[in-house]
Amino acid sequence: MAKVNDKKREKISVATEIDRLEERRERCQDNLERAEFKSRKERLSEKERQELQEEMAIINERVQKLDKELQLLRGENRKNMLLSVAVFAISALVYYTFFYNEANT
């Protein structure tokens, strides 16, 4: 099953993957905020409070993991953008060198 997910992920652009991870991070952040609100506003037994704190710790770990993945993907996206700009610049230079100069001579 993991191989199928990897193949599907290969077809997804970096920008799409960034959007997907940002949505997941936002959902985790919302869940964390709800849990924090619940811990402040509701009267909880010691056991319920401990379970809620454990849940909050798990959510925090997920958010940190998603932040690391996002950082890596943004770096990859930056590299792709620079490569695109370089290809465009080379193409413009070739066009100018061969076609624009020939038209002026």
Side-chain angles (χ1 to χ4, degrees):
M1 186 72 177
K3 291 182 181 180
V4 174
N5 286 339
D6 289 341
K7 287 183 181 179
K8 286 182 184 178
R9 206 170 267 179
E10 287 176 5
K11 296 179 183 178
I12 297 174
S13 71
V14 174
T16 304
E17 186 70 11
I18 288 172
D19 289 342
R20 187 183 68 79
L21 288 176
E22 284 177 342
E23 288 173 8
R24 284 181 59 197
R25 186 189 182 285
E26 190 174 319
R27 283 194 305 262
C28 285
Q29 202 66 31
D30 288 343
N31 290 340
L32 185 61
E33 288 173 8
R34 274 191 228 110
E36 287 174 349
F37 181 78
K38 184 178 180 179
S39 72
R40 286 191 313 263
K41 295 296 179 181
E42 293 183 17
R43 290 183 156 232
L44 302 172
S45 68
E46 190 60 36
K47 182 181 177 184
E48 290 173 330
R49 187 170 302 280
Q50 183 66 30
E51 289 173 355
L52 191 58
Q53 287 177 348
E54 289 173 3
E55 180 182 341
M56 288 169 54
I58 291 170
I59 294 172
N60 270 327
E61 288 175 15
R62 285 182 189 159
V63 168
Q64 290 173 357
K65 182 180 175 185
L66 288 171
D67 284 342
K68 287 178 184 177
E69 287 182 49
L70 280 167
Q71 186 179 12
L72 291 173
L73 285 172
R74 287 182 179 132
E76 187 175 329
N77 198 33
R78 236 182 327 275
K79 288 178 192 175
N80 289 343
M81 187 268 309
L82 288 173
L83 181 63
S84 297
V85 169
V87 168
F88 176 75
I90 290 170
S91 299
L93 183 64
V94 167
Y95 173 80
Y96 177 78
T97 302
F98 289 108
F99 297 111
Y100 190 72
N101 279 341
E102 286 181 10
N104 286 337
T105 19

